[in-house]
Amino acid sequence: FAFDLDGTLLDTAPDFYKSVNILRQKYDLDTADYDQVRTRVSQGAASLAAYALGLDKDAEEVIEFHRQELLEIYEGCCMD
């Protein structure tokens, strides 16, 4: 798999925005702010997962679980 998280090759922010909102919907959360997602794309999937679910940055194991969940969502809907 190849993830271009910083937008060098592709602008992946729209796809990650979609993925973040699918994750948020799963946990009955409102739609994310696009600009907040866009600014975190270059920080990686852990940052996106923490933002998406409002997780404390020190909750490393929880963030890792949801990071994997987010990447699975991304792979399922946005790698076409």
Side-chain angles (χ1 to χ4, degrees):
F1 298 100
F3 297 108
D4 177 32
L5 296 176
D6 68 357
T8 305
L9 302 173
L10 300 168
D11 182 6
T12 56
D15 292 336
F16 273 106
Y17 179 69
K18 179 179 178 180
S19 300
V20 162
N21 282 309
I22 291 170
L23 181 63
R24 288 176 64 86
Q25 183 179 25
K26 180 177 179 180
Y27 293 98
D28 296 320
L29 298 171
D30 292 335
T31 303
D33 180 78
Y34 181 77
D35 290 331
Q36 290 291 323
V37 172
R38 179 173 273 299
T39 61
R40 286 173 172 77
V41 168
S42 64
Q43 297 172 15
S47 177
L48 285 169
Y51 164 73
L53 300 176
L55 302 173
D56 184 290
K57 65 179 181 174
D58 295 327
E60 294 176 12
E61 289 181 28
V62 175
I63 291 172
E64 176 57 23
F65 174 81
H66 293 295
R67 182 188 76 84
Q68 290 293 330
E69 190 175 29
L70 178 65
L71 291 176
E72 288 173 13
I73 291 168
Y74 179 81
E75 180 182 352
C77 74
C78 301
M79 292 290 291
D80 296 333

